[in-house]
Amino acid sequence: MAYTVVGSLTQTIPRILSEDEQYPISDEGKQLIDSLSNKVAPMRKFLAGSKEEAEGEAMSLETRMRETANRAEDVLEHFMYEHLKVVRSKAVVERTDAIQYDFRELQIVMEEINSIAQEVERIQPEIMQHDGRPTTQPGVIPSSETKPPVIDNATVGLEEQVKKIKGLLCGGSLERQVIPITGMGGIGKTTLARAVYEDQEVVKKFDVWAWIVVSQNYRIENVFEKLASALETQVEKGVVNDGDTVEEKLHRILSLKKYLIVVDDLWSAKAWDSIRKGFGNQDKKDGSRIMVTTRDEDVAAHASGSKQSHKMDLMDDPTSWELLKLKVSPNTQLKPDMEIIARDVAKDCGGLPLAIVLIAGILSTAEKSPVSWGKIAEDVKNAVESDKEFGQRIALSYTHLPFQLRPCFLYMGGFPEDHEIQISKLFKLWIAEGFVKDEKDAEVHLYNLVKRNLPLITAFKSSGNFKTCTIHDMVREMSKSKAIDENYERRMSIGHPDLTGLARGYASTLRSVICFQPNDSSLRSLRKFKLLRVLDVVDTDAYSLPTSVFDLFHLRYLAFGCPMEVPSAISRLQNLRSLIIHPSKRSKKYSTDEVCLPVEIWMMPLLTHLVSFFDLFPNPEGAASALKNLLSLSVVKKLICTEEMMKLICNVKKLSVTYFGHMYKEDYKLNNLVLLTQLENLTLAVKKGSPFQLKAKPVFPETLKELTLSGWRFPWKDMKSIAALPHLQVLKLRDHAFEGSTWDTIGDNSEECDEEGNAIEDIDEECEDDLNTAEDTNEECYTFEDMMNEENRNEDYKETENKLFLELKYLLIEESDLENWVTKKEHFPALERLVLKDCGKLKEIPNDIGDIPRLKLIEIDRFNESLLNCVYEIQKHQKKNLGKNIIVKKL
């Protein structure tokens, strides 16, 4: 934490010194801040070069640095806030006194900083001589290693247990059964349940399935909502209605369908009694199953009505070694001296898979030398000898973290138990806090944490990038403990139910407030949190934000759910980078299509991400300036893509726009989308009825990597322009994006070739006439050799035209009237995943699809039996004749 806090201070100092006009500082004040800057730079250099697992004098010094840098930054940011507040209020105040007061506070801090600087100068030579380890900045990954780490879900040592649980799920009595899996935290209960839940043989045995997480702080209404949402997408239309309550939906689905439900992380008998009410008739006899994971055997017995459960034991030494080897060096043999050390480490982990995986993360990122690994082995041994529990072994993962990664990890540990963290949101929060510079930097930090197995990746985007993650309960508890040790709670509050109480202890220092529980009254306390950089109050019950929020000068990330218009005062937040406006649950009944963002949004030059789920984007006025830092603009309505607008958002990389076909018929100038030369991700949707008459169809920039179209009803022949996009990797076609019975990538392509061929015939005829004439005149003519050269050029042209969807990895067609798909494997050379959902008229796909070399997964609507059978035949053919295993998943 010391490294991060000192780094944050080095960013704050120039903000005051470089803006003389905004902050009129006396010469004495400038000298003091200059002196602070000069002292802080060596401190950060010292921290970057010292060992991560500092001890003794170095650890004590780092603690002093952290606390002093925090105090210094608090003083400077308080000064900036108060000064700006005075300017805005135009109050008649003697500003010099206020400035002098702040500087006197800074003088006190400087005395401690001077003392620290002397200590650094004294002990730095000793600290820098450490084991021959590299002195590069900790946590920085070389550019060659910034690719995403491979997520290995191998179930080492669980093969027999998977087989046993599968037998219980797929065979036995037709009565509904509850199957508990018990064992201590970190032993692999969820891993085992997930392996069975995703098994192809198991999936085929059930009509619907769902996974719900309960945890200690569950809310029963949220559990039922998630369960109903997961099941509703798996049943045919008419089983449930939009007006049904959650309870009615659950009752109808679970009464009619054979189901498999996993209740993960159940903590109490009381929780089970609340949850089982949603599962309908317990006397149902169709082979439905409920799988429960819990640490408590009494809870397991209560849920199943039996003392029998599948209890997981600790791993033996050979299996522990197998797991460690897989995680550390799966494809290469370790040197003998390294293997001896690694086997000892595996044994010292006591058979707990979580401890093995975390220690493996440390080994795999450490220097590959006996000395380095020997020290890690010694740490594990000391932890075992000092404490029979596994907490200290797990804590080693933090001890060995580079300084830059520590605050990122602690921030993740602050989220509620079993909460799935959206990685795109996490990146924005890290940037707002100053932990990383940008999303690329954030990505590197996340990859480095994943390599250490601290966050668990729980979902992937269609592009293959990480989408969500979570943290194991034991790792989270360790994180909370370390946050207290590091005095980190002074800067961050996530999920605190009472901001009023929080304000009493930390109002003057808090940088982040993220609320997960509805709480209206506490928002009035926000005026006390003057130094906030992050404010997320999406889930509160407030109808609007207090006006004091718009005085939070340091705010960089603001997310809220509000049914009212965003006030023009939003432009006062000049440091804001991310603005996210959600339609909160309460606001849905009040919001309309005409809720608008203020035109002052164009006066926020640092704005990088604007996500507005129900607002209109204002047309620029004469005074509008380009939002050159804007990278993402989602989800705005009825954007008119004038040339002026495109210039104002010229650097946007992600754009999502919704149009309303039954109300508006104006020209939205979508041909100007081609002017967005940085655009990589585009979503265009038409809602509520048939589309309007377009005066200009979209023209897509060649930079596109992801494209989502919904509701447009384009003819399939228009797909040619999309197929030609050279970098397109993800294509999602929803809600009749294209209309027509046939999509023919062969005929549409060859038609142009035929036309080209006809042109060649015409040339042949003309050349023949010219040859006849040449016999009489001896004039030069278009010779046979020339003709062959021209024909070869035309063949090259045809070959180029044949290359469609060159980089497309993911294709989704959802809600389509498509009946015939005519294509060949060469047109989708990179396709890895094909999803066909609600395509009721499509009864088969070309066999050639199965021959696509990279294809791994085909997902099909479970109600389209003809299409499913076709895909199963393709799967069977590929496995039998080519040994290729294409996974088929029912949606």
Side-chain angles (χ1 to χ4, degrees):
M1 277 300 297
Y3 181 87
T4 302
V5 174
V6 171
S8 181
L9 177 58
T10 61
Q11 296 174 17
T12 300
I13 292 172
R15 290 174 57 198
I16 293 183
L17 294 178
S18 63
E19 300 180 20
D20 272 354
E21 294 182 3
Q22 188 166 0
Y23 307 109
I25 304 173
S26 65
D27 291 340
E28 180 185 357
K30 289 180 182 178
Q31 290 176 1
L32 192 60
I33 297 173
D34 278 332
S35 176
L36 174 65
S37 179
N38 293 333
K39 298 290 184 182
V40 167
M43 287 169 54
R44 195 177 191 211
K45 186 177 180 181
F46 165 81
L47 289 168
S50 62
K51 294 192 294 184
E52 291 92 359
E53 60 274 23
E55 53 189 30
E57 276 189 297
M59 181 177 289
S60 174
L61 191 58
E62 287 173 19
T63 301
R64 289 174 62 194
M65 287 182 184
R66 181 190 69 227
E67 293 175 353
T68 307
N70 268 325
R71 288 176 58 197
E73 187 170 39
D74 289 348
V75 169
L76 294 178
E77 291 197 338
H78 268 292
F79 161 67
M80 296 165 73
Y81 174 89
E82 294 295 343
H83 178 76
L84 193 63
K85 188 175 179 181
V86 168
V87 172
R88 284 176 174 171
S89 65
K90 298 181 180 179
V92 181
V93 177
E94 186 61 44
R95 291 184 293 179
T96 304
D97 290 342
I99 293 173
Q100 290 298 329
Y101 171 79
D102 283 329
F103 288 163
R104 284 196 294 272
E105 286 288 307
L106 190 59
Q107 286 172 345
I108 297 173
V109 176
M110 279 300 300
E111 292 177 7
E112 175 67 2
I113 286 180
N114 287 329
S115 172
I116 291 173
Q118 292 175 2
E119 286 295 300
V120 168
E121 189 175 347
R122 182 180 67 83
I123 70 171
Q124 188 165 18
E126 302 172 17
I127 296 296
M128 298 304 287
Q129 295 173 0
H130 53 68
D131 311 328
R133 289 163 42 139
T135 57
T136 55
Q137 288 190 1
V140 175
I141 304 173
S143 59
S144 60
E145 299 181 20
T146 57
K147 61 182 181 179
V150 176
I151 305 302
D152 186 359
N153 295 317
T155 52
V156 173
L158 299 181
E159 294 81 6
E160 288 301 315
Q161 298 183 66
V162 168
K163 185 177 179 180
K164 179 181 177 181
I165 300 294
K166 281 174 61 177
L168 295 173
L169 292 177
C170 300
S173 171
L174 289 177
E175 293 182 355
R176 190 189 79 175
Q177 293 182 355
V178 177
I179 301 168
I181 300 174
T182 62
M184 67 180 296
I187 205 165
K189 300 182 297 296
T190 299
T191 301
L192 174 59
R194 180 67 70 179
V196 177
Y197 179 76
E198 295 179 347
D199 186 273
Q200 287 278 291
E201 293 180 28
V202 173
V203 167
K204 292 179 180 179
K205 293 289 184 179
F206 297 91
D207 299 325
V208 294
W209 54 87
W211 184 294
I212 55 175
V213 180
V214 183
S215 74
Q216 291 173 291
N217 301 314
Y218 74 95
R219 295 177 64 192
I220 193 63
E221 59 269 27
N222 289 348
V223 172
F224 284 163
E225 282 179 7
K226 290 179 180 179
L227 179 58
S229 176
L231 295 172
E232 188 176 358
T233 60
Q234 302 176 52
V235 297
E236 61 269 30
K237 294 179 181 178
V239 174
V240 295
N241 302 312
D242 292 339
D244 291 342
T245 64
V246 170
E247 290 77 11
E248 289 171 338
K249 290 178 179 179
L250 288 176
H251 176 75
R252 290 181 183 178
I253 296 172
L254 298 181
S255 296
L256 295 172
K257 302 294 182 181
K258 179 181 178 180
Y259 60 81
L260 169 62
I261 296 174
V262 178
V263 180
D264 190 26
D265 202 17
L266 186 66
W267 281 81
S268 69
K270 180 182 177 182
W272 171 255
D273 290 339
S274 298
I275 291 166
R276 69 177 177 181
K277 296 174 184 177
F279 296 152
N281 183 7
Q282 64 180 4
D283 297 324
K284 185 181 181 187
K285 295 184 179 180
D286 64 351
S288 291
R289 298 287 186 263
I290 300 171
M291 207 168 17
V292 173
T293 70
T294 178
R295 300 183 189 184
D296 193 321
E297 292 189 27
D298 289 338
V299 172
H302 180 78
S304 64
S306 168
K307 292 186 177 180
Q308 303 247 335
S309 66
H310 182 83
K311 184 176 180 180
M312 298 187 69
D313 295 320
L314 296 169
M315 289 181 167
D316 58 23
D317 288 349
T319 309
S320 297
W321 160 244
E322 184 183 351
L323 178 59
L324 186 76
K325 171 66 169 59
L326 178 69
K327 294 293 183 180
V328 173
S329 182
N331 301 317
T332 58
Q333 190 68 31
L334 293 172
K335 294 179 180 179
D337 53 350
M338 303 286 280
E339 181 173 328
I340 292 172
I341 296 171
R343 284 183 179 273
D344 287 342
V345 168
K347 184 177 181 180
D348 286 341
C349 284
L352 186 70
L354 176 62
I356 296 170
V357 167
L358 292 175
I359 298 300
I362 298 172
L363 290 174
S364 62
T365 55
E367 183 185 351
K368 300 292 189 294
S369 72
V371 173
S372 178
W373 278 24
K375 290 196 172 185
I376 295 169
E378 190 62 31
D379 285 341
V380 177
K381 184 177 179 181
N382 291 338
V384 173
E385 291 175 352
S386 63
D387 192 339
K388 296 300 181 183
E389 298 298 325
F390 296 97
Q392 289 196 28
R393 266 171 282 180
I394 292 172
L396 292 176
S397 296
Y398 184 80
T399 303
H400 286 265
L401 269 183
F403 291 127
Q404 291 99 324
L405 299 183
R406 291 184 180 184
C408 297
F409 168 66
L410 294 182
Y411 209 92
M412 298 172 76
F415 282 87
E417 184 180 0
D418 293 319
H419 178 80
E420 277 201 293
I421 306 170
Q422 291 286 334
I423 286 173
S424 59
K425 175 178 179 177
L426 184 67
F427 285 177
K428 294 180 180 67
L429 293 171
W430 284 352
I431 293 168
E433 276 282 2
F435 300 157
V436 295
K437 294 179 294 184
D438 50 34
E439 291 201 11
K440 186 176 181 181
D441 197 20
E443 196 173 65
V444 172
H445 279 56
L446 178 67
Y447 291 168
N448 212 358
L449 287 169
V450 171
K451 287 176 182 178
R452 288 164 168 78
N453 297 296
L454 289 168
L456 307 173
I457 302 302
T458 53
F460 294 83
K461 294 182 179 179
S462 49
S463 62
N465 294 331
F466 301 155
K467 182 178 182 180
T468 60
C469 66
T470 188
I471 291 183
H472 189 279
D473 292 349
M474 292 181 70
V475 176
R476 181 174 176 271
E477 289 303 313
M478 178 268 288
S479 170
K480 290 168 62 177
S481 173
K482 292 299 179 183
I484 294 173
D485 292 344
E486 299 273 8
N487 198 21
Y488 190 58
E489 71 274 15
R490 77 185 296 280
R491 296 179 69 93
M492 178 185 71
S493 169
I494 297 183
H496 200 289
D498 181 19
L499 294 182
T500 304
L502 193 68
R504 298 190 188 104
Y506 298 107
S508 62
T509 64
L510 213 63
R511 276 7 185 239
S512 286
V513 169
I514 303 177
C515 296
F516 287 93
Q517 297 178 356
N519 195 328
D520 186 354
S521 60
S522 67
L523 293 189
R524 290 192 293 271
S525 302
L526 287 173
R527 60 184 176 82
K528 299 179 181 179
F529 299 98
K530 300 177 182 179
L531 305 186
L532 276 188
R533 297 178 180 179
V534 171
L535 177 60
D536 187 332
V537 288
V538 168
D539 292 326
T540 65
D541 284 338
Y543 282 101
S544 61
L545 290 177
T547 56
S548 57
V549 168
F550 303 106
D551 288 327
L552 298 177
F553 169 72
H554 298 289
L555 208 60
R556 301 175 187 175
Y557 179 103
L558 174 61
F560 62 95
C562 175
M564 304 175 68
E565 293 188 8
V566 181
S568 59
I570 192 76
S571 63
R572 291 159 63 177
L573 302 176
Q574 285 292 294
N575 287 305
L576 199 67
R577 269 76 164 175
S578 297
L579 175 61
I580 295 97
I581 308 167
H582 286 259
S584 63
K585 293 178 181 178
R586 174 187 282 189
S587 72
K588 286 180 181 178
K589 64 180 74 172
Y590 300 102
S591 62
T592 69
D593 293 336
E594 297 304 324
V595 176
C596 297
L597 289 167
V599 72
E600 283 79 7
I601 205 76
W602 294 104
M603 300 165 60
M604 304 179 69
L606 298 183
L607 199 62
T608 307
H609 303 283
L610 176 56
V611 182
S612 176
F613 284 85
F614 64 106
D615 294 77
L616 302 178
F617 199 54
N619 288 326
E621 296 182 352
S625 58
L627 298 180
K628 293 184 178 180
N629 289 302
L630 191 67
L631 298 180
S632 62
L633 177 59
S634 309
V635 181
V636 297
K637 295 183 177 179
K638 297 171 289 188
L639 183 70
I640 302 177
C641 302
T642 62
E643 288 189 30
E644 179 187 11
M645 178 68 79
M646 298 299 96
K647 290 177 182 178
L648 292 174
I649 59 171
C650 58
N651 292 319
V652 72
K653 291 187 175 182
K654 180 178 180 180
L655 176 64
S656 176
V657 191
T658 302
Y659 296 98
F660 298 87
H662 72 301
M663 294 175 62
Y664 302 94
K665 300 184 184 299
E666 58 185 300
D667 182 2
Y668 289 98
K669 303 184 183 301
L670 299 180
N671 57 309
N672 287 326
L673 287 170
V674 74
L675 300 177
L676 297 177
T677 57
Q678 305 299 314
L679 192 63
E680 296 179 357
N681 189 323
L682 174 64
T683 297
L684 295 176
V686 172
K687 299 290 185 183
K688 298 181 181 178
S690 59
F692 43 79
Q693 186 65 40
L694 291 175
K695 295 182 180 178
K697 291 182 179 180
V699 179
F700 305 114
E702 290 191 348
T703 51
L704 276 188
K705 294 181 179 179
E706 299 186 32
L707 175 62
T708 301
L709 297 173
S710 177
W712 288 95
R713 299 182 183 270
F714 294 127
W716 283 105
K717 66 179 182 179
D718 287 356
M719 182 63 77
K720 287 185 289 187
S721 62
I722 296 174
L725 293 172
H727 306 294
L728 190 66
Q729 297 177 10
V730 175
L731 177 60
K732 300 178 183 179
L733 307 175
R734 292 195 166 104
D735 189 17
H736 302 277
F738 283 78
E739 193 172 45
S741 61
T742 302
W743 178 21
D744 186 351
T745 66
I746 301 174
D748 288 345
N749 201 43
S750 61
E751 182 179 338
E752 291 185 5
C753 294
D754 288 340
E755 290 176 1
E756 193 67 39
N758 291 334
I760 293 172
E761 289 180 6
D762 292 339
I763 291 174
D764 290 345
E765 293 175 1
E766 290 176 7
C767 186
E768 194 172 347
D769 291 338
D770 288 342
L771 282 170
N772 292 332
T773 306
E775 290 178 356
D776 298 329
T777 62
N778 291 324
E779 292 179 354
E780 289 188 4
C781 179
Y782 188 78
T783 66
F784 179 77
E785 184 179 357
D786 294 331
M787 183 179 70
M788 291 301 297
N789 290 336
E790 181 68 25
E791 192 166 335
N792 289 335
R793 284 194 292 270
N794 285 323
E795 286 299 324
D796 292 340
Y797 173 77
K798 293 177 191 178
E799 185 178 343
T800 302
E801 286 293 297
N802 249 343
K803 293 181 179 179
L804 309 179
F805 299 106
L806 283 178
E807 294 191 15
L808 191 69
K809 298 179 181 179
Y810 177 98
L811 173 62
L812 164 71
I813 305 177
E814 181 178 359
E815 290 187 81
S816 172
D817 62 352
L818 184 64
E819 297 179 33
N820 305 299
W821 185 11
V822 182
T823 190
K824 54 184 180 179
K825 63 181 180 182
E826 289 82 6
H827 288 177
F828 297 91
L831 192 65
E832 297 177 1
R833 184 177 173 188
L834 172 64
V835 185
L836 301 171
K837 185 177 181 182
D838 292 333
C839 302
K841 295 182 179 181
L842 186 64
K843 302 303 180 184
E844 62 180 9
I845 62 174
N847 292 332
D848 229 27
I849 293 291
D851 294 330
I852 297 173
R854 300 184 189 178
L855 188 65
K856 301 174 184 176
L857 175 64
I858 302 178
E859 298 178 67
I860 303 293
D861 191 339
R862 68 181 59 236
F863 306 114
N864 194 334
E865 293 185 7
S866 298
L867 187 56
L868 266 174
N869 291 334
C870 171
V871 172
Y872 282 137
E873 285 298 317
I874 291 175
Q875 179 192 44
K876 188 186 302 182
H877 174 80
Q878 290 293 320
K879 189 168 187 178
K880 179 180 179 181
N881 297 322
L882 301 176
K884 180 180 177 183
N885 185 26
I886 298 176
I887 298 174
V888 178
K889 182 177 179 181
K890 292 191 295 185
L891 298 171

